Amino acid sequence: MQYRTLGKTGLEVSLLGMGCMRLPFINGDSNQGVDRDAAIELLQFCADSGINYFDTAFGYHSRESEGILGEAFADKQRREKVIFTTKQPWWEMHDDSIIRVNLENTLKKLRTDYIDLYLLHRITPEAWDDIQRREIFKFFEGFKREGLIKHIGFSYHGNYENFKDVVQKYPWEMCMVQQNMLDINEEVTHDGLEFAGRHGLGVTIMEPLRGGGLAFAPTPVKAIYEKTDKHGRTPAEWAFRHLVDSPHVSSIVSGMSTFEQVKENVAMFSQESMRPNCLSQAEKETISAARDAYNSIVSISCTACNYCVPCPTGVQIPGIFTQYNEFKMFEHCNNPRRSYMFITRAGGDVSKCNSCGKCVKKCPQNIDIPTELQTAHETLKGWNE
């Protein structure tokens, strides 16, 4: 496993991080909840395989994720070998007193006396003024003085200009941002990685595979890879290498839900060549051409972050968009339609949408969700068996 220094924190973190937002479900069915035993075994396997960076948050898996992570590393010797990153959401900070309550609940769930990295979750341009006005920083600073947290950071969804302001307004030690080979001009942009790095922040990456989509290559992308690839790399490896190439990236967080995914990714990130500036000019041109090919295919820019759910009327928004994107961008044809049939039978299809707009306000990708749901419905409807 390759390791990098996480900016000002000085922590040595695994280049591949484990994201705890997509843990395995009972019988593979999200409606049945997380398979705790399987998840705990998977998390321990990650640590035994060299991954030491574990990322979770207050609300992941209906507030179960932190507890599962804590149970997996309840043993003191196991706990001391890993780095816990968790996040308190801005939208859960209803008043000043609840901020400490949320932290104390998190510590109990994680079964630990301290949190290595505590992040203000999901700063957005819309929320930034209120965050500053309420002086949220002072609470985090107080927790650090008490030894309850070791380092302070933030996760971010928004544009580059606002991101620069956030970075400069407070002495953060690290940040987590969305970047991947398709988003170089979106979110904080590729320039944002360099800006954060120049200010000494450790940078961790979310959505490196765009919700898993970049693990697949549609025909136009596959043709580009096959034309230039001398190493037999998978589409996922091309996407990961795009990020590994940046010296400002400390850890790339992947939401792995099977042992096979962990084994494949650990082997990939253990290669000697997975280092800064690993891409040749020809390989950069290959990724640029693949990006153009992906973008030529119409899709909905959902990353399945799940901020839009639960929907008041039960629409399975991320699930529907995932099936649509697989159908359009990644050439999964029959399976997405079949999956949408099961979503419909479960009462979570687009017909339940009343266009209330609550999901739109929560979406970090600024998707017009009601409109795009109708687009997805027209594409996916009609499968019967």
Side-chain angles (χ1 to χ4, degrees), residues 56-170:
T56 185
F58 182 88
Y60 287 175
H61 283 302
S62 301
R63 303 189 179 184
E64 287 189 64
S65 178
E66 290 178 327
I68 294 170
L69 182 62
E71 189 173 350
F73 296 99
D75 178 79
K76 185 177 180 180
Q77 289 185 324
R78 279 192 173 276
R79 170 65 182 98
E80 290 176 348
K81 293 178 181 179
V82 297
I83 294 167
F84 280 177
T85 300
T86 192
K87 319 175 193 76
Q88 182 168 166
W90 160 246
W91 59 91
E92 293 289 348
M93 299 178 184
H94 308 300
D95 57 59
D96 290 353
S97 63
I98 200 66
I99 298 174
R100 187 179 188 89
V101 172
N102 289 339
L103 171 65
E104 290 174 347
N105 286 336
T106 284
L107 287 166
K108 290 176 183 177
K109 289 180 180 180
L110 289 173
R111 305 189 186 192
T112 186
D113 297 326
Y114 67 94
I115 298 166
D116 300 279
L117 298 156
Y118 200 51
L119 278 56
L120 176 55
H121 194 181
R122 196 188 166 200
I123 294 179
T124 64
E126 295 75 19
W128 180 229
D129 286 344
D130 284 339
I131 291 170
Q132 294 178 86
R133 177 182 55 79
R134 285 184 56 191
E135 299 182 288
I136 300 301
F137 317 121
K138 68 181 181 182
F139 297 99
F140 281 50
E141 288 178 326
F143 300 150
K144 185 176 180 179
R145 285 193 296 269
E146 291 180 63
L148 301 176
I149 64 178
K150 300 297 185 183
H151 304 284
I152 301 172
F154 68 97
S155 68
Y156 181 84
H157 279 291
N159 60 59
Y160 175 45
E161 290 303 315
N162 183 249
F163 177 71
K164 289 194 295 183
D165 190 52
V166 174
V167 167
Q168 295 176 100
K169 283 286 176 64
Y170 181 74

Side-chain angles (χ1 to χ4, degrees), residues 11 16 45 68 85 173 180 204-205 236 263 375:
L11 295 171
L16 173 65
F45 179 76
I68 294 170
T85 300
E173 297 171 87
N180 52 65
T204 63
I205 301 294
K263 291 175 183 177
T375 299

Side-chain angles (χ1 to χ4, degrees), residues 178-196:
Q178 176 179 318
Q179 266 299 289
N180 52 65
M181 60 177 282
L182 295 186
D183 285 331
I184 61 169
N185 296 315
E186 304 295 332
E187 289 276 323
V188 302
T189 75
H190 189 72
D191 289 341
L193 304 183
E194 296 184 359
F195 186 82

Side-chain angles (χ1 to χ4, degrees), residues 220-239:
V221 177
K222 190 182 299 182
I224 291 167
Y225 288 152
E226 290 177 349
K227 183 178 179 180
T228 59
D229 188 5
K230 300 177 182 179
H231 306 282
R233 293 169 181 160
T234 63
E237 182 168 352
W238 278 103

